[in-house]
Amino acid sequence: MMRCWHVCKLPGRVLGIRVLRFSLVAVLLLLLVAGSLTTFLPSNKDDKMLMLRREVKAQGQATLASFTLIMQTYNRSDLLLRLLNHYQAVPQLHRVIVVWNNVGEKPPEDLWNSLGPHPVPVVFKPQTTNRMRNRLQAFPELETPAVLMVDDDMLISAQDLAFAFSIWQQFPDQIVGFVPRKHVSTSSGVYSYGGFELQTPGFGDGDQYSLVLIGASFFSSKYLKLFQRQPAAVHTLIDETQNCDDIAMNFLIAKHTGKTAGIFVKPVNMGSLEKETNGGHSGMWHRAEHFLQRSYCINKLVNIYGGMPLKYSNVMISQFGFPYANHKSKM
């Protein structure tokens, strides 16, 4: 019986040992599988990278839906501060770049910052020379596809800007602005510059335009880079006249796209604060030679580019009737 008992018990003990060994092996395998699976789980570093990517994507979407204001100024610090305060409240504004043309004079950056915080960052860019085309640089602080360029005496309502920006988003390869102008060819083949009062030969009424001035407009930031690659003669012409950078941009865009350079949006509330400045600097358009210079520039640019790329348009986009043509305006 003892032997039988031993014989009977031995297989059970052997089986128990085998089960135990099998269980240990199974546990080890499970641990190994679990360990290998954890390698596929995101680490803290991966979590941070994912969050960063989401933030970058959100910022990218934000910049697509916003614009950067570029304002060049000279001897108008009082108007500058007033305008900066006004434009800070404009929706969709991402950043303001102030092109400071008072060479050797410190911009009012400390004063501006001391009166903060401000909802939108302002970057002051002191220049080494007072040139009209300083504002057409591809600034590294420019992060948005859209540029709003405004002269340093121009006050445009937030409503007008929001509407014009919505139009630019539909026509991003053209200038969308508030001040139209035109060129006219004379019988001698020489071009003249002016406004709607000029009669366009063969078109009946004089209410057509071929340029939209960039001093109150939206346009694509890519054109600032393209402007830097224009023939040196274009830059020299602007520097010699201290004028016509806006005409050159219209030539550039019309030639680049094959379309009308710009689209005219009728402003509801826009005006000049020029008479309210204490700086004593009046706009260039007051100079006796201003319009003569601009006619001169058009003819020079035709020679540089080997032709006239500007095209006429009679379309005006209004917040109260979109769109309609054959408008009358004395802007």
Side-chain angles (χ1 to χ4, degrees):
M1 292 292 294
M2 292 292 294
R3 186 176 181 184
C4 182
W5 185 85
H6 283 293
V7 171
C8 291
K9 286 289 186 181
L10 185 59
R13 293 174 66 183
V14 171
L15 182 61
I17 293 170
R18 288 177 180 174
V19 170
L20 179 61
R21 286 178 179 174
F22 178 78
S23 300
L24 289 173
V25 171
V27 170
L28 288 173
L29 285 173
L30 286 173
L31 290 173
L32 287 172
V33 170
S36 62
L37 288 175
T38 57
T39 61
F40 296 100
L41 296 175
S43 63
N44 289 336
K45 184 178 180 181
D46 293 332
D47 288 340
K48 291 179 180 178
M49 288 298 296
L50 184 60
M51 291 292 294
L52 180 60
R53 287 173 185 170
R54 287 175 178 170
E55 289 175 6
V56 169
K57 184 178 180 180
Q59 290 173 0
Q61 291 172 342
T63 55
L64 286 173
S66 59
F67 54 85
T68 300
L69 167 60
I70 298 178
M71 181 182 294
Q72 181 163 277
T73 187
Y74 177 74
N75 278 357
R76 286 177 173 172
S77 295
D78 53 342
L79 285 188
L80 173 66
L81 294 173
R82 177 176 173 182
L83 291 173
L84 287 179
N85 182 69
H86 167 72
Y87 290 117
Q88 285 280 306
V90 174
Q92 300 167 300
L93 180 61
H94 178 71
R95 175 172 290 141
V96 178
I97 298 175
V98 176
V99 185
W100 182 257
N101 268 3
N102 282 55
V103 178
E105 182 179 329
K106 189 177 180 181
E109 185 172 8
D110 291 340
L111 174 59
W112 175 258
N113 291 334
S114 69
L115 297 174
H118 304 289
V120 177
V122 175
V123 179
F124 291 85
K125 304 288 289 186
Q127 304 297 299
T128 56
T129 55
N130 178 19
R131 294 190 303 197
M132 191 66 203
R133 64 183 174 97
N134 284 344
R135 62 181 175 173
L136 297 181
Q137 300 174 65
F139 297 102
E141 296 86 358
L142 183 53
E143 299 174 340
T144 58
V147 169
L148 167 64
M149 190 161 283
V150 178
D151 289 341
D152 63 349
D153 60 354
M154 191 65 66
L155 185 69
I156 309 170
S157 72
Q159 178 186 8
D160 281 316
L161 291 176
F163 178 72
F165 182 52
S166 71
I167 300 302
W168 178 85
Q169 289 175 311
Q170 299 176 60
F171 304 98
D173 57 345
Q174 292 169 281
I175 302 170
V176 173
F178 302 104
V179 185
R181 292 290 182 264
K182 73 193 303 181
H183 73 286
V184 171
S185 178
T186 62
S187 57
S188 63
V190 178
Y191 294 97
S192 292
Y193 169 89
F196 286 136
E197 68 277 3
L198 284 181
Q199 185 74 19
T200 308
F203 286 96
D205 292 337
D207 54 350
Q208 293 200 338
Y209 63 93
S210 57
L211 306 103
V212 174
L213 303 190
I214 62 174
S217 75
F218 289 94
F219 58 86
S220 173
S221 58
K222 69 182 180 183
Y223 292 129
L224 296 176
K225 294 180 181 179
L226 190 57
F227 177 79
Q228 303 306 317
R229 301 198 296 268
Q230 295 308 291
V234 174
H235 297 164
T236 300
L237 174 65
I238 297 169
D239 293 343
E240 287 177 349
T241 59
Q242 277 289 68
N243 202 336
C244 306
D245 64 328
D246 49 358
I247 297 177
M249 282 292 283
N250 275 264
F251 266 71
L252 180 160
I253 293 171
K255 186 173 178 64
H256 180 73
T257 63
K259 304 175 183 178
T260 55
I263 296 172
F264 171 38
V265 173
K266 180 72 173 178
V268 175
N269 188 4
M270 183 180 82
S272 174
L273 303 180
E274 182 185 18
K275 295 181 179 179
E276 300 182 32
T277 181
N278 297 321
H281 177 67
S282 58
M284 292 189 306
W285 67 277
H286 288 292
R287 298 184 305 190
E289 70 274 18
H290 176 68
F291 283 92
L292 287 174
Q293 276 186 336
R294 292 173 79 76
S295 295
Y296 169 79
C297 287
I298 287 179
N299 288 286
K300 281 289 187 180
L301 289 169
V302 167
N303 292 333
I304 293 171
Y305 286 107
M308 168 55 77
L310 299 179
K311 294 178 172 61
Y312 291 107
S313 174
N314 66 347
V315 172
M316 179 182 74
I317 298 177
S318 170
Q319 298 180 55
F320 309 105
F322 166 71
Y324 68 95
N326 296 323
H327 53 85
K328 297 290 183 181
S329 175
K330 293 296 181 182
M331 287 189 62

